[in-house]
PDB file of all heavy atoms in Angstrom:
ATOM      1  N   THR H 196      -8.115   6.062 -13.670  1.00 98.00           N
ATOM      2  CA  THR H 196      -7.949   7.031 -12.713  1.00 98.00           C
ATOM      3  C   THR H 196      -6.914   8.193 -13.290  1.00 98.00           C
ATOM      4  O   THR H 196      -6.098   7.914 -13.996  1.00 98.00           O
ATOM      5  CB  THR H 196      -7.119   6.348 -11.467  1.00 98.00           C
ATOM      6  OG1 THR H 196      -8.008   5.584 -10.921  1.00 98.00           O
ATOM      7  CG2 THR H 196      -6.515   7.336 -10.536  1.00 98.00           C
ATOM      8  N   HIS H 197      -7.294   9.461 -12.912  1.00 98.00           N
ATOM      9  CA  HIS H 197      -6.450  10.649 -13.213  1.00 98.00           C
ATOM     10  C   HIS H 197      -5.905  11.144 -11.986  1.00 98.00           C
ATOM     11  O   HIS H 197      -6.596  11.093 -10.909  1.00 98.00           O
ATOM     12  CB  HIS H 197      -7.356  11.636 -14.001  1.00 98.00           C
ATOM     13  CG  HIS H 197      -7.662  11.348 -15.253  1.00 98.00           C
ATOM     14  ND1 HIS H 197      -8.885  10.712 -15.633  1.00 98.00           N
ATOM     15  CD2 HIS H 197      -7.069  11.513 -16.495  1.00 98.00           C
ATOM     16  CE1 HIS H 197      -9.074  10.569 -16.960  1.00 98.00           C
ATOM     17  NE2 HIS H 197      -7.904  10.917 -17.549  1.00 98.00           N
ATOM     18  N   ILE H 198      -4.831  11.756 -12.129  1.00 98.00           N
ATOM     19  CA  ILE H 198      -4.092  12.449 -10.998  1.00 98.00           C
ATOM     20  C   ILE H 198      -3.968  13.857 -11.288  1.00 98.00           C
ATOM     21  O   ILE H 198      -3.475  14.216 -12.458  1.00 98.00           O
ATOM     22  CB  ILE H 198      -2.765  11.957 -10.520  1.00 98.00           C
ATOM     23  CG1 ILE H 198      -2.957  10.457 -10.091  1.00 98.00           C
ATOM     24  CG2 ILE H 198      -2.168  12.701  -9.423  1.00 98.00           C
ATOM     25  CD1 ILE H 198      -1.589   9.740  -9.844  1.00 98.00           C
ATOM     26  N   VAL H 199      -4.530  14.863 -10.534  1.00 98.00           N
ATOM     27  CA  VAL H 199      -4.459  16.205 -10.920  1.00 98.00           C
ATOM     28  C   VAL H 199      -3.525  16.857  -9.831  1.00 98.00           C
ATOM     29  O   VAL H 199      -3.878  16.957  -8.559  1.00 98.00           O
ATOM     30  CB  VAL H 199      -5.814  16.929 -10.733  1.00 98.00           C
ATOM     31  CG1 VAL H 199      -5.828  18.444 -10.811  1.00 98.00           C
ATOM     32  CG2 VAL H 199      -6.662  16.437 -12.023  1.00 98.00           C
ATOM     33  N   ASP H 200      -2.541  17.565 -10.343  1.00 98.00           N
ATOM     34  CA  ASP H 200      -1.462  18.189  -9.467  1.00 98.00           C
ATOM     35  C   ASP H 200      -1.506  19.654 -10.102  1.00 98.00           C
ATOM     36  O   ASP H 200      -0.759  19.914 -11.155  1.00 98.00           O
ATOM     37  CB  ASP H 200      -0.172  17.544  -9.639  1.00 98.00           C
ATOM     38  CG  ASP H 200       0.854  18.282  -8.813  1.00 98.00           C
ATOM     39  OD1 ASP H 200       0.498  19.158  -7.990  1.00 98.00           O
ATOM     40  OD2 ASP H 200       2.005  17.907  -8.863  1.00 98.00           O
ATOM     41  N   GLY H 201      -2.273  20.527  -9.631  1.00 98.00           N
ATOM     42  CA  GLY H 201      -2.376  21.858 -10.190  1.00 98.00           C
ATOM     43  C   GLY H 201      -2.899  21.698 -11.663  1.00 98.00           C
ATOM     44  O   GLY H 201      -3.912  21.058 -11.878  1.00 98.00           O
ATOM     45  N   GLU H 202      -2.133  22.325 -12.672  1.00 97.00           N
ATOM     46  CA  GLU H 202      -2.615  22.219 -14.057  1.00 97.00           C
ATOM     47  C   GLU H 202      -2.080  21.050 -14.726  1.00 97.00           C
ATOM     48  O   GLU H 202      -2.474  20.747 -15.886  1.00 97.00           O
ATOM     49  CB  GLU H 202      -2.198  23.482 -14.751  1.00 97.00           C
ATOM     50  CG  GLU H 202      -3.176  24.497 -14.373  1.00 97.00           C
ATOM     51  CD  GLU H 202      -2.827  25.943 -14.990  1.00 97.00           C
ATOM     52  OE1 GLU H 202      -1.747  26.147 -15.337  1.00 97.00           O
ATOM     53  OE2 GLU H 202      -3.676  26.906 -14.822  1.00 97.00           O
ATOM     54  N   THR H 203      -1.314  20.115 -14.063  1.00 98.00           N
ATOM     55  CA  THR H 203      -0.861  19.001 -14.711  1.00 98.00           C
ATOM     56  C   THR H 203      -1.730  17.826 -14.370  1.00 98.00           C
ATOM     57  O   THR H 203      -2.092  17.468 -13.236  1.00 98.00           O
ATOM     58  CB  THR H 203       0.670  18.687 -14.078  1.00 98.00           C
ATOM     59  OG1 THR H 203       1.436  19.855 -14.210  1.00 98.00           O
ATOM     60  CG2 THR H 203       1.230  17.474 -14.944  1.00 98.00           C
ATOM     61  N   ILE H 204      -2.139  17.055 -15.470  1.00 98.00           N
ATOM     62  CA  ILE H 204      -2.979  15.870 -15.384  1.00 98.00           C
ATOM     63  C   ILE H 204      -2.229  14.558 -15.662  1.00 98.00           C
ATOM     64  O   ILE H 204      -1.597  14.640 -16.758  1.00 98.00           O
ATOM     65  CB  ILE H 204      -4.292  16.000 -16.232  1.00 98.00           C
ATOM     66  CG1 ILE H 204      -4.905  17.313 -15.746  1.00 98.00           C
ATOM     67  CG2 ILE H 204      -5.189  14.799 -15.928  1.00 98.00           C
ATOM     68  CD1 ILE H 204      -6.139  17.608 -16.758  1.00 98.00           C
ATOM     69  N   TYR H 205      -2.281  13.592 -14.866  1.00 98.00           N
ATOM     70  CA  TYR H 205      -1.765  12.266 -15.265  1.00 98.00           C
ATOM     71  C   TYR H 205      -2.746  11.352 -15.563  1.00 98.00           C
ATOM     72  O   TYR H 205      -3.862  11.360 -14.749  1.00 98.00           O
ATOM     73  CB  TYR H 205      -0.806  11.793 -14.181  1.00 98.00           C
ATOM     74  CG  TYR H 205       0.417  12.803 -13.881  1.00 98.00           C
ATOM     75  CD1 TYR H 205       0.215  13.702 -13.031  1.00 98.00           C
ATOM     76  CD2 TYR H 205       1.651  12.490 -14.477  1.00 98.00           C
ATOM     77  CE1 TYR H 205       1.429  14.629 -12.646  1.00 98.00           C
ATOM     78  CE2 TYR H 205       2.745  13.350 -14.220  1.00 98.00           C
ATOM     79  CZ  TYR H 205       2.484  14.313 -13.214  1.00 98.00           C
ATOM     80  OH  TYR H 205       3.594  15.155 -12.930  1.00 98.00           O
ATOM     81  N   LYS H 206      -2.686  10.406 -16.426  1.00 98.00           N
ATOM     82  CA  LYS H 206      -3.767   9.393 -16.723  1.00 98.00           C
ATOM     83  C   LYS H 206      -3.162   8.054 -16.607  1.00 98.00           C
ATOM     84  O   LYS H 206      -2.246   7.702 -17.324  1.00 98.00           O
ATOM     85  CB  LYS H 206      -4.173   9.667 -18.130  1.00 98.00           C
ATOM     86  CG  LYS H 206      -5.326   8.757 -18.693  1.00 98.00           C
ATOM     87  CD  LYS H 206      -5.723   9.166 -20.021  1.00 98.00           C
ATOM     88  CE  LYS H 206      -6.747   8.265 -20.622  1.00 98.00           C
ATOM     89  NZ  LYS H 206      -7.127   8.571 -21.959  1.00 98.00           N
ATOM     90  N   ASN H 207      -3.754   7.181 -15.723  1.00 98.00           N
ATOM     91  CA  ASN H 207      -3.190   5.810 -15.416  1.00 98.00           C
ATOM     92  C   ASN H 207      -3.525   4.944 -16.602  1.00 98.00           C
ATOM     93  O   ASN H 207      -4.517   5.044 -17.401  1.00 98.00           O
ATOM     94  CB  ASN H 207      -3.771   5.278 -14.101  1.00 98.00           C
ATOM     95  CG  ASN H 207      -2.908   4.103 -13.761  1.00 98.00           C
ATOM     96  OD1 ASN H 207      -1.820   3.899 -14.032  1.00 98.00           O
ATOM     97  ND2 ASN H 207      -3.715   3.173 -13.065  1.00 98.00           N
ATOM     98  N   THR H 208      -2.613   3.962 -16.831  1.00 98.00           N
ATOM     99  CA  THR H 208      -2.731   3.053 -17.995  1.00 98.00           C
ATOM    100  C   THR H 208      -2.909   1.632 -17.466  1.00 98.00           C
ATOM    101  O   THR H 208      -3.071   0.726 -18.336  1.00 98.00           O
ATOM    102  CB  THR H 208      -1.563   3.106 -18.836  1.00 98.00           C
ATOM    103  OG1 THR H 208      -0.392   2.634 -18.139  1.00 98.00           O
ATOM    104  CG2 THR H 208      -1.262   4.444 -19.576  1.00 98.00           C
ATOM    105  N   THR H 209      -2.865   1.424 -16.239  1.00 99.00           N
ATOM    106  CA  THR H 209      -3.048   0.007 -15.731  1.00 99.00           C
ATOM    107  C   THR H 209      -4.530  -0.105 -15.038  1.00 99.00           C
ATOM    108  O   THR H 209      -5.100   0.855 -14.682  1.00 99.00           O
ATOM    109  CB  THR H 209      -2.021  -0.295 -14.608  1.00 99.00           C
ATOM    110  OG1 THR H 209      -2.208   0.608 -13.498  1.00 99.00           O
ATOM    111  CG2 THR H 209      -0.607  -0.278 -15.167  1.00 99.00           C
TER     112      THR H 209
END
Side-chain angles (χ1 to χ4, degrees):
T196 290
H197 289 91
I198 298 172
V199 167
D200 180 10
E202 281 172 349
T203 310
I204 305 174
Y205 299 88
K206 180 178 174 180
N207 194 28
T208 60
T209 59

